[in-house]
């Protein structure tokens, strides 16, 4: 699976990560406005009915997005110079924090809208306030985990590209390109494809050399 992400084309990843949710948002807006315009007093439950598909869309998008990050950070480790040490265990811990958090939030939001549509009741105010009190610190922890993942992925990529120990100033550009992935993916992924291609070419040349001998 890691190899598939590393060999995937930039437009394929862009379509899966950005294109699918964007298309879903367009459909949702069309559904909302069509319900509003079709009735004098539209039912809010009908207007927001498409939100029940939100967890499915988010899970698919996050699977591709985090799968891409994981493939770069872990899949390229074998191309990191031997004299450079990368803290992969620390990365794995902070990687799964935002992943689990986002999936849990997606399911929670989907459950709220599903419950409202089925029972036609509003969520209890006290319960909602309690949940917000729990979510806020988890959200901050998730943000830290996400930024650390961006940092580690960008550092891994630049270390493999330059074949040496790098500091933040050397991979700051890659950090922000990964942050704004809908732009950076068009620049970073072709370079990753080239890294993988060079590896395969070198291996094939070695095999051919052995055969010639």
């Amino acid at each position: 699976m890691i190899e598939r992400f590393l060999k995937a084309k930039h437009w394929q990843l862009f379509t899966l990560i950005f294109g699918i949710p964007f298309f879903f948002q367009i459909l949702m807006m069309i559904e909302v406005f069509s319900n509003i315009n079709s009735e004098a007093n539209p039912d809010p439950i009908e207007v927001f009915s498409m939100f029940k598909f939100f967890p499915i869309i988010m899970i698919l998008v996050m699977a591709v997005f985090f799968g891409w990050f994981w493939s770069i950070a872990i899949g390229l480790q074998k191309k990191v110079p031997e004299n450079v040490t990368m803290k992969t265990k620390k990365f794995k811990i902070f990687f799964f924090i935002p992943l689990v958090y986002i999936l849990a939030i997606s399911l929670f939001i989907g459950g709220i809208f599903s419950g409202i549509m089925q029972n036609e009741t509003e969520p209890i105010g006290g319960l909602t306030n309690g949940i917000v009190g729990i979510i806020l610190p988890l959200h901050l922890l998730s943000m830290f985990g996400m930024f650390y993942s961006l940092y580690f992925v960008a550092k891994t990529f630049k270390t493999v590209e330059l074949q040496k120990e790098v500091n933040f100033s050397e991979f700051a550009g890659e950090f922000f390109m990964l942050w704004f992935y809908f732009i950076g993916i068009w620049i970073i992924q072709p370079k990753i494809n080239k890294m993988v291609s060079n590896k395969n070419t070198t291996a094939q040349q070695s095999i051919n050399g052995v055969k010639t001998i």
Side-chain angles (χ1 to χ4, degrees), residues 115 194 207:
K194 188 175 180 180
I207 293 174

Side-chain angles (χ1 to χ4, degrees), residues 17-29:
I17 298 174
F18 186 79
I20 290 178
F22 182 75
F23 181 70
F24 173 73
Q25 290 178 17
I26 292 176
L27 290 178
M28 187 177 67
M29 293 303 297

Side-chain angles (χ1 to χ4, degrees), residues 71-196:
S71 298
I72 298 173
I74 303 301
L76 293 182
Q77 284 301 313
K78 50 191 172 184
K79 298 182 72 65
V80 172
E82 294 183 358
N83 62 323
V84 178
T85 302
M86 305 290 293
K87 299 179 180 179
T88 56
K89 291 184 178 179
K90 186 177 180 181
F91 162 75
K92 291 176 181 179
I93 294 173
F94 287 113
F95 173 85
F96 282 105
I97 291 175
L99 175 60
V100 173
Y101 172 77
I102 293 173
L103 292 178
I105 288 295
S106 300
L107 294 174
F108 173 72
I109 293 175
I112 287 179
F113 279 98
S114 177
I116 292 174
M117 286 185 292
Q118 290 179 6
N119 303 322
E120 300 186 3
T121 58
E122 297 181 358
I124 301 173
L127 178 61
T128 302
N129 293 334
I131 292 174
V132 171
I134 297 174
I135 287 178
L136 183 58
L138 291 178
H139 184 75
L140 294 175
L141 180 61
S142 176
M143 287 179 60
F144 178 82
M146 193 69 224
F147 278 112
Y148 183 82
S149 297
L150 288 169
Y151 170 87
F152 188 88
V153 172
K155 184 177 182 179
T156 301
F157 171 82
K158 203 64 178 182
T159 300
V160 173
E161 184 180 40
L162 300 181
Q163 286 296 295
K164 69 182 186 70
E165 183 77 40
V166 295
N167 52 48
F168 183 74
S169 62
E170 293 177 289
F171 62 87
E174 284 73 16
F175 175 86
F176 287 104
M177 281 192 287
L178 289 169
W179 188 353
F180 301 98
Y181 64 91
F182 48 88
I183 297 174
I185 199 169
W186 300 91
I187 302 171
I188 292 178
Q189 189 62 20
K191 293 182 179 180
I192 294 175
N193 294 155
K194 188 175 180 180
M195 291 176 184
V196 177

